[in-house]
Each structure stands twice: as structure tokens, then as C-alpha cells.
Amino acid sequence: MILASLPEGRDGALRIVAPDRATATRAGAATFRALLDGASDAAAGGPEPFDIARCGAPLPRTGQFLDGSAYVNHVELVRKARGVPMPESFWTDPLMYQGCSDPFLGPADPILTDPTWGTDFEAEVAVVTGDVPLGADIDTARAAIRFVLLLNDVSLRGLIPDELGKGFGFVHGKPPSALAPLAVAPEALPGWDGDRLNATMCIDLNGAPFGRLDAGRDMTFGFPELIAHAARTRPLAAGTVVGSGTVSNKGADGGPGRTVADGGAGYACLAEQRMVETIRDGKPSTPFLKSGDRVEIWMEDAEGRDLFGRIAQDVKARSET
Amino acid sequence: MILASLPEGRDGALRIVAPDRATATRAGAATFRALLDGASDAAAGGPEPFDIARCGAPLPRTGQFLDGSAYVNHVELVRKARGVPMPESFWTDPLMYQGCSDPFLGPADPILTDPTWGTDFEAEVAVVTGDVPLGADIDTARAAIRFVLLLNDVSLRGLIPDELGKGFGFVHGKPPSALAPLAVAPEALPGWDGDRLNATMCIDLNGAPFGRLDAGRDMTFGFPELIAHAARTRPLAAGTVVGSGTVSNKGADGGPGRTVADGGAGYACLAEQRMVETIRDGKPSTPFLKSGDRVEIWMEDAEGRDLFGRIAQDVKARSET
């Protein structure tokens, strides 16, 4: 099953998208949230023409977004660039923060910047769960995964260090994230292995390839582990979004890898490329996002087929809006 | 206007409560969320008998709960007990974390404990906002306050230090919070001064007075400041809940105050009493919550009238459920 939402009202207008994406039908549930709450996912009415370019976020708002850092390689690189060793526990105890889930931006909504914010993207895979009981084990968590999403976790690097120092997580450093148009059920994703999505995470910055990463590789914690971690002391209500954190691949030599231009897999955020530059050159040379930049994020299966549609966001100065 | 919700469905069934609380009417909006989204707040139908004991949380789920630490006295005490100086910036830059907003527990739902969790209550005032634009100033923030709530921010002290060390905020340390039955509009609260609620926060533990605090005093940041802080890099959608953090009063001598039994205002969480014991005796003597304990939280105006109804939660071991 593939779902999308037209940008009507606060929760969008749900459509069930045909596998060829040429048509879509209404569902018994008027919104994705209603479907997650238990309303019918049966088609209601006949097929209508479907234009993916008209879609907003498939889930424009929900009760909870818990974002893990499953690609520990990314965390290790951040630490290395700061000259701080990474605790061994990070390989077994995931980092996770609660981010903004109301709203989620649509795939073509602008990213707002301020020159002091250090604006960055983070290309992530995410899942939407059904109800997950308090203290769920890994198998219960796995069974609760209902849909897979593609997400841009917009991150304000200039504001994050202060918030890390306070220890209370990110309120300023993590503004609303954007979602790609399609929410896809695991059974409609051949690369889904129950724990991870084996597919290529593609990022272009201003039309040039920035990342071509294997999302199924180097993901230390699978989604069931992230969900079980999140549910340790709270039940997760249906509609909870759990994110993978920035996708990140080690290089062939086990090191931080190379840019796409240099024959590597590249990176899924500017910060990681800047860290590699810092480790190599003593300082970063890649700038953060500025007004006029364009970020495109999509995923492809092994045959090069698009999975979720495309996030394509233009960067605008806050004062331009 | 006073609102309450009967515990039906995921969003509850909205009722407009008469000032005498003897009757209530249905509203044009079927749920509090729908009302916040813009559905009619006009009465629909005639008055029906109202039993506050039948109410669930007025807002059983919403898109965002941002909890500040507005009573900096509380933060200073925590630090003092740990022997760590508090940065001066904490007097001007509020601590704030994003907590669980789906679900909010009902006023009589149990608090689940595990002996290793160090379970505590935190009695807080909270507000529900309308839509707040990105970068809202203090006056815009003040005008966006739609309802006031009473909240128990259940806190797992045994799990918080590790999460503070990770810097990503609280996922395990802050399970779902409970709400008192009534959501009250500012104009129906004579003690509301636009920024703070001047009323007494009452806490009983196992039937004995634990706190009788002045919620309008020692609140370094008013709600408009907390809302503007939250909206610095994200718009706040209608239905956002912003919390005050644990209410805390200084003693008459400017020190940490005394217990209610000792003639003081007492405390709004166990941790604070434990801190005072630690500063005084070198170690805490008040235990955290254990199975069989009962926590009651309510607020009274200057004439002793109840404002929000009562949170009355029994503590249960996780294994008992």
C-alpha cells in the first residue's frame, strides 16, 4: 500500500496511490491520521488521476517524532571532528531525541535560514508505527511498523552546541522536518528486510550529486531496536514516527569515505562532509545552506526505481518569507 | 470558558462545563483538538449533569508538549545538591525540553514504576496555545494563550542523569504526564495576570500535605517568554502545550524553604525535598514513589476555590499492570 496526502486542512486529504502512481483513490479514512487511528484503509470511490507534484507531507502532523542516531559512524565522525572520544555505550544504547511532529513540512516547502543558524539537511529513513505497548520487545516493535517514510531532518548546527550543553535536547536546533510525498507499507518495499531499508539514499545539492548512500549498510540499530528503545518507559501511540538519524556509510577502508565527486558515496548532511574536511584539512570548506540553495532527496531501489517521490526544498532567508 | 473531555476515543468527547460545574453541554467541536483547530466553541444542545470524576485528560493527545524550567530556583537547587554551579545564562535563557504529548494521562490514571526508575511527580502549570508564528514576539505569544492546564510531569530520576549526559533530552526519563480534568480559559481565571497564574499549587502525598506553593511567585520566565522561546525557530501549531516546569518557591530567607510539616511551602516534587535534605544532611531521606503511594495535585485561588479539578494518581509497579 502506498499513501499520499493532498495539502487540505491540517491533516491533509488521504489518497491510496496505485503502484504505477498514475492514479489514486480516496480511502474510507479521510486522513492518514484517521487511518492510523483505525479508520478503514479500503478504497472508497474509483481511481482519479494522481499528480505527485500536488502532494503535501503524507502525515502533516502527528503526536510524536522520536529520532534516533542509528548510523553510529555519523556520531563517531562528529566526535572525531570535535576531538572527543565516543563512549563505547553508543554502540549499544542509541542516541534519540524528540523532535517536532506538528507540523511536518511538505516535500516542496522552503527551508528557512538565518545566517547565524548554520542550516543543514539530514537525509533519513523513518517509520510510522501502530500502537506499541510500554516495554515492547524487538519482535513486538517490528510487527508495529506500518509505513516507511523519507525525511529531511533540517538541523541548525549553529544552535545545537548550546542545546547539547544544556542537556535538554533540541528545541531551537531542530525546526520542522520535511517528508517525501509517499508513505509506503513495508510489503510494498522489496528492499525492506524487516529491520532496515536496503535502498540508495540520493541527495543532490544545487543539482550536483552530494550523496549516494546505502541506507541498509552501517545502520547499527534497526528500526525495531529504535522502537523498543523509545517504548522503554512510554507506550507509543499509533502514528508515532521513529527516524533513523542521518544515513552514513563508512568508506571502503573503514574510514569516513569520500565525496561523490571523488568517487565515494558522499554524505547525507553537510556537517559530515565538513567534519571530514576538518579531520583532513583542519577546517571545513563546505558552507552551510544559504538563501537560493536547493536540496533534493530521494531513494532508489536496486533497479533505480524511485520509492517515496522527491523532497525538493529551496532555501530562503527567514526575512524573505 | 471551562472545558473537559469524557474518555471516549483517542481525542475524548468535549464538554463545555458550567461555572458551577454541576452541568455541561456539548460543543460544536466534538473534541478539544477540533476546537483548537477552529471548529465551533459554541454550545450544542442543552445542559446535562456533569460529573468531574468521569473526566479523562481534557486534551488526551496533541502534537507538541514543550516543557520549560521557569522556576529557576528549582534548577539552582538541583545544581547545588550536585555541587555544580549554575550558569548565569539560566536566568535569561530558559531550559526547555520536548516531552510526550501522545498520550497525556487522565487525572486518575496510575503512575507506573520500576524500582530502578526513581519515580517522581512534578506539579506544573501549563498553557495550550493557538497558532504561534515562527519568531513570535512576547506580545504575540501572550495573545496566543487559549487555555490553562494543571499537569503532573512524571519524572524518572534514575534514568535522567544518563540522558542529561547524552545531551539529546529525555525519552526514557519523562514518560507520559497527567492532566487535571479542566482546561480553563485565562478570562475565567481571576488569578491569571497575562503571564503567570497567581494561585496555590497544592500537593498531597499519601494524604499528607507535601506542597502549598505560590505558583505566581519565583517564576522567572512567564508563559509568553516560554512560548516565544519555543517559537524561535519553529512555528507552534494550535494545540501546543507549554509547561512551566516544577513550581518552586524560595524560603522567606531566600534559601530552599522548608517542608509543609515544618511550616514552609513545601515542594512540588520529591527531588527538591531530597535536594534540600542532601544539602542539609549530606544525603536524602525522602524515598521516590513506590507501589501503593498516592499523589494528589490541585490548585486553589485566593479564596480557596478549586481551579482545575484534581489529579489523583495511584502508583503501581509496572509488573502489576
Side-chain angles (χ1 to χ4, degrees):
Chain A
M1 172 170 272
I2 304 175
L3 301 179
S5 296
L6 301 178
E8 295 172 15
R10 291 183 186 259
D11 291 305
L14 182 63
R15 292 293 183 272
I16 302 172
V17 182
D20 68 1
R21 303 188 189 177
T23 61
T25 55
R26 289 164 198 262
T31 67
F32 193 3
R33 277 186 69 95
L35 183 149
L36 291 161
D37 285 351
S40 171
D41 63 359
E48 302 167 13
F50 177 71
D51 178 4
I52 199 168
R54 287 186 55 222
C55 294
L59 190 61
R61 62 174 179 174
T62 192
Q64 186 163 244
F65 171 37
L66 294 167
D67 198 15
S69 292
Y71 297 83
V72 179
N73 182 52
H74 167 77
V75 182
E76 202 172 32
L77 271 179
V78 182
R79 294 264 172 165
K80 198 168 174 187
R82 283 164 49 199
V84 185
M86 190 179 78
E88 266 307 298
S89 63
F90 281 25
W91 291 104
T92 52
D93 178 34
L95 287 173
M96 183 174 279
Y97 73 92
Q98 181 153 5
C100 182
S101 60
D102 184 2
F104 280 122
L105 301 179
D109 285 344
I111 297 172
L112 300 186
T113 59
D114 181 284
T116 64
W117 287 355
T119 306
D120 198 356
F121 53 86
E122 291 195 348
E124 306 192 359
V125 182
V127 298
V128 186
T129 73
D131 287 305
V132 179
L134 173 67
D137 62 17
I138 302 279
D139 289 337
T140 305
R142 186 180 294 109
I145 296 171
R146 296 204 54 193
F147 292 92
V148 185
L149 303 170
L150 171 61
L151 184 148
N152 179 14
D153 178 32
V154 178
S155 298
L156 306 179
R157 306 291 178 196
L159 306 181
I160 283 177
D162 273 1
E163 293 197 317
L164 277 174
K166 289 161 96 175
F168 273 43
F170 311 113
V171 175
H172 292 161
K174 296 282 190 176
S177 301
L179 296 177
L182 305 180
V184 186
E187 59 271 20
L189 285 167
W192 181 258
D193 66 13
D195 292 10
R196 291 164 179 80
L197 180 58
N198 297 284
T200 306
M201 178 69 80
C202 304
I203 302 107
D204 278 8
L205 178 60
N206 297 325
F210 190 87
R212 296 290 184 270
L213 300 120
D214 181 350
R217 193 155 66 79
D218 301 323
M219 187 182 182
T220 305
F221 306 103
F223 281 104
E225 288 169 279
L226 295 175
I227 293 166
H229 179 86
R232 185 177 165 204
T233 66
R234 64 175 73 176
L236 308 183
T240 294
V241 173
V242 175
S244 69
T246 316
V247 173
S248 177
N249 288 159
K250 292 185 194 235
D253 58 355
R258 287 174 296 169
T259 61
V260 175
D262 199 23
Y267 307 98
C269 64
L270 296 171
E272 201 162 316
Q273 181 158 308
R274 288 168 56 91
M275 288 171 224
V276 172
E277 291 162 354
T278 300
I279 293 166
R280 190 186 60 202
D281 309 328
K283 63 181 173 57
S285 48
T286 302
F288 286 120
L289 295 174
K290 57 189 182 310
S291 180
D293 283 343
R294 185 175 177 82
V295 179
E296 291 173 277
I297 301 172
W298 71 100
M299 290 191 83
E300 295 179 358
D301 70 9
E303 282 73 46
R305 284 179 299 230
D306 176 74
L307 298 177
F308 302 101
R310 190 173 286 234
I311 294 172
Q313 296 184 275
D314 291 317
V315 180
K316 290 189 180 171
R318 200 179 139 185
S319 54
E320 292 175 69
T321 59
Chain B
M1 172 169 271
I2 304 176
L3 301 179
S5 296
L6 301 178
E8 295 172 14
R10 292 181 185 261
D11 291 305
L14 182 64
R15 293 292 184 272
I16 301 171
V17 182
D20 69 0
R21 302 187 189 181
T23 60
T25 54
R26 290 164 198 260
T31 68
F32 193 3
R33 278 185 68 95
L35 183 149
L36 291 161
D37 286 351
S40 170
D41 62 359
E48 302 167 13
F50 177 71
D51 179 3
I52 199 168
R54 287 187 55 224
C55 294
L59 190 60
R61 63 174 178 173
T62 192
Q64 188 163 243
F65 171 37
L66 294 166
D67 198 15
S69 292
Y71 298 83
V72 178
N73 182 51
H74 167 77
V75 182
E76 202 171 32
L77 273 179
V78 181
R79 294 264 173 165
K80 198 167 174 187
R82 283 163 51 200
V84 184
M86 191 179 76
E88 266 308 299
S89 63
F90 281 25
W91 291 104
T92 52
D93 178 33
L95 287 173
M96 183 173 280
Y97 73 91
Q98 181 154 5
C100 183
S101 60
D102 184 4
F104 280 121
L105 301 179
D109 286 343
I111 297 173
L112 300 185
T113 59
D114 180 284
T116 64
W117 287 354
T119 306
D120 198 356
F121 53 85
E122 291 195 350
E124 306 193 358
V125 183
V127 297
V128 186
T129 72
D131 288 303
V132 180
L134 173 66
D137 63 18
I138 302 278
D139 289 336
T140 305
R142 185 180 294 110
I145 296 172
R146 297 205 55 194
F147 293 91
V148 185
L149 304 170
L150 171 61
L151 183 148
N152 179 14
D153 179 32
V154 178
S155 298
L156 306 178
R157 306 290 179 197
L159 307 181
I160 283 178
D162 273 1
E163 293 197 317
L164 277 174
K166 290 162 96 177
F168 273 44
F170 311 115
V171 175
H172 292 162
K174 296 282 189 175
S177 300
L179 296 177
L182 305 180
V184 186
E187 58 271 20
L189 286 168
W192 181 257
D193 67 11
D195 292 11
R196 293 163 178 78
L197 180 58
N198 297 284
T200 306
M201 178 70 81
C202 305
I203 303 108
D204 277 8
L205 177 61
N206 297 326
F210 190 87
R212 296 290 184 272
L213 300 121
D214 181 349
R217 193 155 65 81
D218 301 323
M219 189 182 182
T220 306
F221 306 103
F223 282 104
E225 289 169 279
L226 295 176
I227 293 166
H229 179 86
R232 183 176 166 207
T233 65
R234 64 175 73 175
L236 308 183
T240 294
V241 173
V242 175
S244 69
T246 315
V247 173
S248 178
N249 287 159
K250 292 185 194 235
D253 57 355
R258 288 175 296 170
T259 61
V260 175
D262 200 22
Y267 307 99
C269 63
L270 296 171
E272 201 162 314
Q273 182 158 311
R274 288 168 55 91
M275 288 172 227
V276 172
E277 292 162 353
T278 300
I279 293 165
R280 190 186 60 203
D281 310 326
K283 62 181 174 57
S285 49
T286 301
F288 287 120
L289 295 174
K290 56 189 183 308
S291 181
D293 283 344
R294 184 174 177 84
V295 179
E296 291 174 276
I297 301 172
W298 71 101
M299 290 191 82
E300 293 178 358
D301 70 9
E303 282 73 46
R305 283 179 300 231
D306 177 74
L307 297 177
F308 301 101
R310 193 172 283 236
I311 295 173
Q313 296 185 274
D314 291 316
V315 180
K316 290 188 180 173
R318 201 178 138 187
S319 55
E320 294 174 69
T321 59

